[in-house]
Amino acid sequence: MPADDEREPVGLMAPEEYARSRAAFWGGAAVLFTDAQGRVLVLDPAYRPGTLLLPGGGMDQMERPSVTAAREVAEELGLSADVSRLLAVDWVSQGNPEYEGVYGFPGEAVFVWDGGVLEEGAVARIRLPEDEISAFHFLPPAEAAPRMLPIEGRRMLAALRARIDRAGPAVLEDGDPTGEAPTLQRYGVIPRIAASYQDISWYPDTNPPSSLPVKQAWTWAFDPLGRVVVLVDPRDGHVVMPGGTVEEDDDGAEATALREALEEADLHLHDATYIGYLLDPDGKVYGPGTGPNARARFIARIASLGPAPRDVATGITYGRLLVSPEQAAELLGLGRAGREQAAYAARAAAARWGIPLSPPHTAVEIPHAGIPPC
C-alpha cells in the first residue's frame, strides 16, 4: 500500500481534499406492508408520539439497505420479511425544513421495500418492542398519510403507487417525484379502501331475486388488449368504475351502466353483458336505511372514447386510465368480492370475445381528446 504522500491525486485534487469535498449523508430503510384489504401497516413510535411511520429505521455502518429493512422488521415487528423488491428511493436534502429539529442532519437516502401482504396469521405473530413502538395500525392510505410527517406520507403513497403500477421504483427528492413521473403518480392516485365492501358477497352469472332491488350498475369496459377503464376523481385521487345509480327513467340496469359511462367519461360501449351482482344485505354500501339491494355488474367492449367530459352529476372531469383488471381491483379497494369479480370479468371477456387476459402493467393515460373506435 502506498504511503500517504504517494497516493495518486483525484483529478486535480489531493486525496484528502477530494475526500472532504464529498457529501456525507445518512441512510434509512422502510418496508411497506398491507393487509388483504389493502390497508397500510403503520407504527405508533413511543419516541415520536402523534405521528405514524412505516416499519424501518436508520442504516448501520457497512450495512446494505435491504439488510437494514429486514433487521428493522425483525426488531420492530418480530417478523421475517423478504425485501427483494424496491418500491421507492427518496433523497432528503440537508436543508429540508421538516428535519430542522434533527440534530446534525446531513441529508438522507431512504429506501422503501415491498413487504407484501400480511395475512391474519402473520399479523397475529407481530410482537412490538415495548420501549420503542406503542402500537401498530392497518389504515386506508388516505387516512394513514395525514397522520405521518408530510414527507413520509408522500413517500408512502409513492411506494404504494409503484407497487400497483409495476413501473419500477419511484425516484423521489424530498418526497416528490423527479423527472417524468408514472401515470398513477402524476394523477395523485390514492387507492381506495371501501370498508363497507369487505363482507359483501359476489354472485357471478346469477340474477338477483325479484324481491331485491337493483340500486346501482357498473361496467368492466375492456379494450382489445384486455385492459379496463377506470376513472380518477381529481378531488381526492380515488378511483371508480364507470357506472352509477339506477334512475327512474332508465330502462333497467344495463341502460344505467351505458348512460353513466357516457356521462362520466364519454365512453361508448357495445356488447354489454350482465355477469352478476353484489349483495348489499343491509344497505350499508348504498346508504343508511336503504335496506337489502343488489349492485349489478356488466362487461362490455369499448367502441370509442370521446373527449373527457364534465360529469353532469358531479361537475368534475375524471381522469381516465387503462389498467389490468387485477390492478383495477387493487385501486378500487373492493376487498375479496372485488378481486373475485375482476378475475371473473376477465375470464368472461376472454371466453365471449377472445380478449386476452391482461397482466398487470404500467397504467396508461387515455388522452383528453379520447381514442378512435376500436
Side-chain angles (χ1 to χ4, degrees):
M1 183 174 180
D4 289 350
D5 57 356
E6 296 177 353
R7 290 175 181 157
E8 292 292 328
V10 181
L12 300 178
M13 303 172 69
E16 295 82 359
E17 183 182 359
Y18 177 75
R20 287 194 300 269
S21 72
R22 297 302 301 268
F25 56 90
W26 293 348
V31 182
L32 177 73
F33 292 102
T34 58
D35 65 4
Q37 298 180 22
R39 298 177 301 178
V40 176
L41 173 64
V42 286
L43 305 181
D44 193 348
Y47 56 86
R48 203 178 75 182
T51 56
L52 304 177
L53 75 171
L54 295 176
M59 293 168 55
D60 292 340
Q61 291 285 345
M62 308 297 290
E63 191 173 46
R64 295 179 177 181
S66 60
V67 174
T68 300
R71 174 179 57 77
E72 289 287 344
V73 168
E75 293 175 358
E76 295 182 339
L77 301 177
L79 301 176
S80 60
D82 176 8
V83 290
S84 59
R85 182 184 179 196
L86 183 64
L87 295 179
V89 179
D90 189 10
W91 165 250
V92 184
S93 59
Q94 183 179 27
N96 188 292
E98 293 188 53
Y99 286 75
E100 286 180 347
V102 180
Y103 177 76
F105 180 69
E108 184 175 26
V110 182
F111 301 81
V112 184
W113 301 86
D114 188 1
V117 176
L118 285 182
E119 302 296 343
E120 292 182 2
V123 175
R125 294 195 303 273
I126 290 177
R127 298 293 182 269
L128 303 178
E130 295 181 1
D131 58 343
E132 184 178 355
I133 305 298
S134 302
F136 71 90
H137 315 272
F138 283 97
L139 297 177
E143 294 182 20
R147 297 178 61 181
M148 306 172 77
L149 290 178
I151 188 173
E152 293 176 352
R154 299 195 303 274
R155 185 185 303 149
M156 178 273 291
L157 291 174
L160 185 58
R161 293 172 188 134
R163 177 205 268 189
I164 295 172
D165 202 37
R166 278 74 163 181
V171 180
L172 312 172
E173 292 180 352
D174 293 310
D176 297 316
T178 63
E180 182 67 22
T183 301
L184 296 187
Q185 186 72 25
R186 284 190 288 107
Y187 272 86
V189 169
I190 300 179
R192 298 179 66 210
I193 305 297
S196 53
Y197 275 90
Q198 303 309 321
D199 298 322
I200 286 179
S201 298
W202 162 240
Y203 292 87
D205 203 26
T206 304
N207 290 313
S210 58
S211 60
L212 193 66
V214 177
K215 291 292 186 180
Q216 292 196 331
W218 305 79
T219 304
W220 295 88
F222 285 87
D223 79 347
L225 300 179
R227 303 173 297 187
V228 294
V229 175
V230 294
L231 309 178
V232 183
D233 189 327
R235 297 169 297 186
D236 55 17
H238 284 165
V239 171
V240 296
M241 294 176 67
T245 303
V246 177
E247 298 180 357
E248 291 183 2
D249 294 339
D250 291 334
D251 184 17
E254 180 179 331
T256 297
L258 297 177
R259 173 183 57 77
E260 289 282 355
L262 279 171
E263 292 177 355
E264 294 173 340
D266 203 3
L267 175 58
H268 301 255
L269 302 174
H270 63 101
D271 295 336
T273 303
Y274 175 78
I275 60 168
Y277 72 96
L278 290 170
L279 172 62
D280 180 8
D282 56 9
K284 63 182 178 181
V285 173
Y286 185 68
T290 304
N293 65 87
R295 300 163 70 87
R297 291 295 189 266
F298 296 85
I299 58 172
R301 291 194 286 176
I302 299 172
S304 64
L305 269 156
R310 185 179 296 274
D311 181 30
V312 296
T314 63
I316 65 173
T317 299
Y318 290 99
R320 303 177 297 178
L321 309 179
L322 287 168
V323 298
S324 74
E326 179 182 339
Q327 289 168 298
E330 293 180 76
L331 293 168
L332 293 163
L334 302 183
R336 173 183 53 80
R339 293 189 295 274
E340 293 174 355
Q341 184 187 149
Y344 187 87
R347 292 194 301 270
R352 181 173 290 271
W353 303 310
I355 290 177
L357 298 174
S358 173
H361 57 81
T362 303
V364 176
E365 179 182 9
I366 296 172
H368 188 85
I371 57 178
C374 295

